[in-house]
Amino acid sequence: MKKLLAMVVFLAAVMVQAQDRYTQGMDKAFALWQENKIVEASNLFERIATAEPDNWLPYYYVSQVNTFASFGEKDLQKLSVKLEKAKEFLDVAKAISPDNPELLIQEALINTAWISFDGATYGMTLSQKNVQLYNRAMELAPNNPRVILSKAEWDMGTARYFGKDTAPYCKDVEKALELFATFNSEIPYYPSWGKERAQQVLEACK
């Protein structure tokens, strides 16, 4: 009995230590990202992902860091490296956590980065794909503010492209902003971005 108790205590201590390493690593990666050290942040998230093969979040953040860094990139080769890596890690995250609305949004953002780079080449095929992704995300999580905001922004962009009024989607942005006040997750490091962006978009609506 004493040996069993000792083993339980030992395993608990190992788990706490591993969790501490995870927390420290994630905090450090976010700090590097905040300092705009994109490559370093991506590499650290990647190392954490390797150590946490059943956790979709580090894979998600490798994908997100590289996607966000690709917007505005003018060099096709550099863009391709970032977005191919983003897609590679996203695919692993999706395998770990299927039907995850946060991952559907992330996939749509990768597509949007390609469209932003060259709409003539990628717009037709990826635009339709994004419509499907956002619709599916809305089915899965109709009260997730990031889902509502992201879909609204996509719909606004489509409306502008076709010369239509974007005002109808401002109500969706307003709803997203309201939901940001109450939406939360008990999962450490669960995505929380979007509130400031919603405020900016809503301000532009006015």
Side-chain angles (χ1 to χ4, degrees):
M1 186 66 181
K2 287 184 178 179
K3 288 184 178 179
L4 179 60
L5 182 59
M7 180 61 70
V8 170
V9 172
F10 172 74
L11 290 174
V14 169
M15 289 177 66
V16 168
Q17 186 177 15
Q19 186 63 33
D20 286 345
R21 286 199 299 270
Y22 172 69
T23 300
Q24 291 168 7
M26 290 292 280
D27 287 347
K28 176 63 175 176
F30 280 112
L32 289 168
W33 194 3
Q34 184 70 29
E35 295 167 12
N36 205 34
K37 296 179 179 178
I38 304 302
V39 175
E40 294 89 338
S42 176
N43 289 342
L44 183 49
F45 280 127
E46 186 172 347
R47 289 198 297 274
I48 296 168
T50 302
E52 298 275 338
D54 298 323
N55 185 347
W56 63 273
L57 282 163
Y59 292 93
Y60 166 82
Y61 285 116
V62 174
S63 183
Q64 191 176 69
V65 166
N66 284 278
T67 302
F68 285 2
S70 72
F71 283 97
E73 178 60 66
K74 303 300 182 184
D75 186 295
L76 177 58
Q77 185 175 0
K78 292 179 180 178
L79 181 85
S80 297
V81 169
K82 291 185 178 76
L83 292 182
E84 285 170 8
K85 186 167 190 175
K87 186 63 167 62
E88 175 189 349
F89 278 81
L90 176 66
D91 286 344
V92 178
K94 288 170 66 179
I96 296 169
S97 180
D99 289 328
N100 184 326
E102 302 289 352
L103 299 181
L104 295 176
I105 295 171
Q106 176 55 27
E107 184 173 355
L109 286 173
I110 293 173
N111 293 342
T112 301
W114 280 114
I115 295 168
S116 296
F117 178 74
D118 187 348
T121 301
Y122 303 106
M124 187 171 294
T125 55
L126 294 183
S127 291
Q128 186 56 42
K129 178 66 173 175
N130 272 10
V131 171
Q132 296 170 0
L133 288 167
Y134 284 127
N135 286 341
R136 178 58 178 155
M138 282 295 292
E139 289 175 6
L140 293 169
N143 292 317
N144 181 317
R146 273 172 300 285
V147 170
I148 297 170
L149 172 64
S150 299
K151 184 177 185 301
E153 280 208 85
W154 175 259
D155 290 339
M156 283 178 167
T158 302
R160 289 191 197 97
Y161 182 80
F162 290 105
K164 296 182 179 179
D165 187 12
T166 61
Y169 306 110
C170 291
K171 291 181 180 179
D172 295 328
V173 178
E174 190 171 1
K175 180 181 177 182
L177 191 56
E178 291 172 357
L179 287 171
F180 273 117
T182 56
F183 186 91
N184 57 62
S185 172
E186 295 181 358
I187 301 173
Y189 304 107
Y190 193 88
S192 60
W193 61 271
K195 183 178 179 180
E196 290 184 3
R197 178 59 184 169
Q199 291 171 333
Q200 292 170 357
V201 176
L202 192 59
E203 187 63 31
C205 282
K206 298 175 180 178

